[in-house]
Amino acid sequence: MFRRRPEARPAPGDRLVEVFVAGRPVRVPEGASAAAAVLLAGLPAIRTTPVGRAPRLPYCMIGACFDCLAEIDGVANRQSCLVPVAPGMRIEPQRGARAARIEDAA
Amino acid sequence: MSHDLAIVGAGPAGMAAAIEAAALGLSVAVLDEQPAPGGQVFRAVEAASGDPALAGEFLDSGGALAARFRAARGIDYRPRTTLWHLDPDAGLLSVASAGATAEIEARRVLLATGAQERPVPIPGWTLPGVMSAGAAQILLKTAGAVPEGSVVIAGQGPLCWLLAVQLLRAGVERLTLLETGAGGALRDALRAGGLWTGRRLLTKGIALMRETRARGLTVVRNVRDLRAEGDGRVSTVRWRQGGREQVLPCDTLLLHEGVIPSTHITRALGLDHDWDDLQLCWRPRLDAWGATSHPNLAVAGDGGGIGGWEAAAAGGRLAALDAALRLGRLDAAARDARAAEPRRAQRAALALRPFLDRLYRPAAGILAPADDTVVCRCEEITAGQIRGAARLGAAGPNQVKAYLRAGMGPCQGRMCGTVVAGLIAETRGASMETVGALRPRAPFKPMTVGELANGRPDAMPELTA
């Protein structure tokens, strides 16, 4: 439930980056984090917890709380608040504990 | 690649230390997790330079410091680089960057890793829509973004007022500040003195409060028993004021009870720490130059005790001067002569601290919340469970971790560590020093096996059995 302020941050086309949050395209300012993209996309949760399956969104935005863990470009458990957006980046929610997959090793 | 001084963190302390050290002829490496210099206080200051909501000290002082850091020669600046292991005896820093690992050698290491906001464990604080006040400020700084709908800032401290001003300037229309401060705190704080020496900071704070009033901020004081409620997302904030129950619809709740040093790395290195009973946090034991209990390691900035960005920058310069002495670039007389100015700046910046620490001292419930409150967000362990473990015999947070997994999740106790210790201290009637702190271990941040395997061979140390 966050919104950008294009009037205060005039961002010509090349300063906005298009990423995909849960498959939906979102345009966010260059230099912002994947967690910011999640919040701007209005996603109800970026993950559910491994213990109680409770929904979570980013809490601290400085890399301390780990509530913003997400699957980014196929790699799970990344701190999305520490990953700057890049064109075409795919940010996916993760549910519970992630399963170990053999292709992760590739 | 070897350096005289490796600095971890590019906030005010790290930037000021790097500028000073490089000017003294030291070869300096600066590693920072973020993509641009500034730390959290001046986060994304270069990118945000046109935003009127952030006008003032952030853009002026922060922008100037970042520009000086960028312009300084002799600094090997490595953004987007995470320290995951540090061997201070060997002067070896293990870092991860761009999916690969590398080693950096340095004769001396300065940790300028800053602070984190004090976790505010209230019922419902894990709900989506509840975040720290600093998190909302990061979104404003890095993305120009603001929360929509009914926005509530709850807690206390200078950041609450600064954030309120910035959000109001940025067009947030429905904003309420719930102040949790205790009634007698102002009287106690005034007795601490320092108001005249600290008058510039005091004036700054009063100007912020005036601006919130002029912009029509709703302020509710003496807020107690705060809780967030909602089904899958916060929709209501509830509190008690003078014995009466109050309710407010809320789309975003921003919590803040001050900031505490980030001690994750200093603890993992086994450095000596002291419990600060006024700021209610642990801080590494430092001398007047920021030197720690390890001969090759120093700490500067809020990571060594909360003082704000001006004290941090001064502390960074002092640590750089001391590094120059220890590395043979300056003699003691030259170091002391050059230290006079940053020492004065540090004293001036810290003058108001005793007042602020007393005025905004968190209530007891922040370190020892009610039984039904989640304390360890990762493993979803409540205060009641932790009290139960303490009654069963767990004498410190490392034992509670073994009993309940509190502190064992991905954040490795960054969020719950101090509160777990506070609950044990309360239950067992022990001091925080007796209860102790979690002992984190490397890697300081989680990393993939792929990153570990992707070491740059030229930069790897020799492997031994």
Side-chain angles (χ1 to χ4, degrees):
Chain A
M1 305 285 193
F2 278 75
R3 64 171 175 88
R4 289 197 295 116
R5 293 156 49 245
E7 74 288 356
R9 297 280 186 103
D14 61 340
R15 300 269 332 265
L16 286 179
V17 175
E18 187 175 79
V19 299
F20 297 89
V21 177
R24 275 181 40 214
V26 189
R27 283 152 66 83
V28 293
E30 192 177 58
S33 65
V38 167
L39 292 164
L40 286 168
L43 215 61
I46 188 56
R47 67 183 188 110
T48 57
T49 58
V51 180
R53 307 276 156 162
R56 294 284 170 88
L57 278 177
Y59 177 84
C60 80
M61 293 297 283
I62 65 165
C65 77
F66 289 69
D67 261 322
C68 68
L69 292 178
E71 184 177 306
I72 299 177
D73 289 338
V75 180
N77 280 332
R78 296 193 69 188
Q79 288 185 276
S80 61
C81 76
L82 293 180
V83 180
V85 289
M89 176 180 276
R90 293 187 174 272
I91 306 157
E92 293 290 331
Q94 53 182 62
R95 308 197 190 291
R98 82 175 183 133
R101 294 178 309 196
I102 195 74
E103 59 265 33
D104 284 350
Chain B
M1 179 155 187
S2 186
H3 295 270
D4 292 323
L5 178 65
I7 299 172
V8 184
M15 287 192 288
I19 295 165
E20 187 82 29
L24 291 166
L26 300 183
S27 65
V28 181
V30 177
L31 336 170
D32 190 58
E33 241 175 358
Q34 298 300 334
Q40 301 306 339
V41 66
F42 298 139
R43 180 87 178 267
V45 65
E46 296 159 324
S49 64
D51 193 332
L54 294 166
E57 188 174 59
F58 172 78
L59 291 185
D60 299 343
S61 306
L65 185 52
R68 283 178 50 225
F69 174 72
R70 291 276 197 193
R73 291 187 183 187
I75 299 173
D76 174 10
Y77 168 49
R78 302 186 187 200
R80 295 200 64 185
T81 301
T82 300
L83 179 77
W84 60 271
H85 183 261
L86 171 58
D87 179 341
D89 295 321
L92 207 55
L93 298 94
S94 304
V95 300
S97 184
T101 50
E103 309 285 334
I104 296 168
E105 283 178 74
R107 295 168 67 197
R108 188 161 181 78
V109 179
L110 174 62
L111 296 171
T113 47
Q116 65 173 68
E117 280 179 283
R118 177 188 296 285
V120 185
I122 59 163
W125 73 309
T126 55
L127 284 170
V130 182
M131 57 203 312
S132 72
Q137 201 190 35
I138 299 285
L139 282 157
L140 181 61
K141 290 171 178 173
T142 57
V146 291
E148 294 180 287
S150 166
V151 182
V152 178
I153 302 173
Q156 55 179 346
L159 180 66
C160 291
W161 295 97
L162 176 59
L163 179 66
V165 163
Q166 291 169 338
L167 291 182
L168 291 167
R169 286 181 189 164
V172 171
E173 284 167 9
R174 292 160 63 199
L175 182 65
T176 306
L177 172 59
L178 304 180
E179 262 213 313
T180 54
L186 179 61
R187 214 170 35 238
D188 188 30
L190 286 170
R191 275 200 292 270
L195 299 188
W196 177 249
T197 321
R199 61 192 178 279
R200 195 171 47 80
L201 276 174
L202 195 62
T203 310
K204 201 169 75 184
I206 291 167
L208 284 177
M209 291 181 177
R210 285 219 177 106
E211 186 172 344
T212 58
R213 194 176 310 154
R215 290 179 183 272
L217 176 72
T218 309
V219 181
V220 181
R221 292 180 201 276
N222 297 315
V223 168
R224 298 281 176 278
D225 301 329
L226 186 72
R227 54 198 303 140
E229 296 174 354
D231 184 14
R233 184 180 172 93
V234 64
S235 59
T236 306
V237 178
R238 231 176 253 283
W239 70 93
R240 297 182 73 79
Q241 186 192 30
R244 292 231 322 271
E245 178 105 353
Q246 310 278 348
V247 186
L248 190 69
C250 173
D251 296 297
T252 300
L253 173 62
L254 305 171
L255 300 171
H256 184 74
E257 289 282 348
V259 294
I260 58 176
S262 278
T263 53
H264 196 78
I265 295 173
T266 52
R267 278 289 182 192
L269 296 173
L271 301 179
D272 291 343
H273 288 69
D274 295 301
W275 176 252
D276 184 329
D277 205 36
L278 193 54
Q279 295 192 340
L280 295 181
C281 60
W282 290 101
R283 50 160 92 193
R285 187 176 300 162
L286 307 176
D287 74 5
W289 303 93
T292 68
S293 54
H294 190 286
N296 301 342
L297 267 180
V299 170
D302 274 1
I306 303 306
W309 79 265
E310 288 174 275
R317 292 176 63 192
L318 294 171
L321 291 169
D322 194 44
L325 170 87
R326 288 166 185 260
L327 298 172
R329 292 280 172 154
L330 285 180
D331 60 30
R335 178 196 67 168
D336 295 351
R338 285 168 189 263
E341 199 260 303
R343 191 78 69 200
R344 256 195 310 277
Q346 192 183 45
R347 262 199 305 273
L350 292 175
L352 200 60
R353 260 307 124 182
F355 172 81
L356 290 174
D357 291 343
R358 285 171 177 79
L359 183 62
Y360 295 128
R361 187 177 165 87
I366 297 297
L367 276 190
D371 276 349
D372 61 346
T373 310
V374 169
V375 170
C376 169
R377 297 172 61 98
C378 297
E379 297 289 335
E380 295 169 76
I381 311 292
T382 64
Q385 289 174 277
I386 294 161
R387 286 192 176 96
R391 277 193 293 271
L392 277 177
N398 292 296
Q399 280 161 301
V400 164
K401 182 174 166 182
Y403 279 41
L404 297 172
R405 293 187 57 88
M408 206 179 274
C411 97
Q412 289 286 288
R414 287 172 173 88
M415 298 299 284
C416 69
T418 308
V419 181
V420 169
L423 286 164
I424 300 168
E426 176 218 62
T427 305
R428 299 176 65 88
S431 69
M432 288 297 272
E433 288 88 344
T434 310
V435 169
L438 280 172
R439 177 68 185 268
R441 285 175 179 78
F444 306 139
K445 280 290 177 78
M447 51 201 309
T448 64
V449 174
E451 282 176 301
L452 269 177
N454 194 11
R456 293 179 211 138
D458 56 320
M460 291 295 279
E462 259 181 64
L463 294 177
T464 54

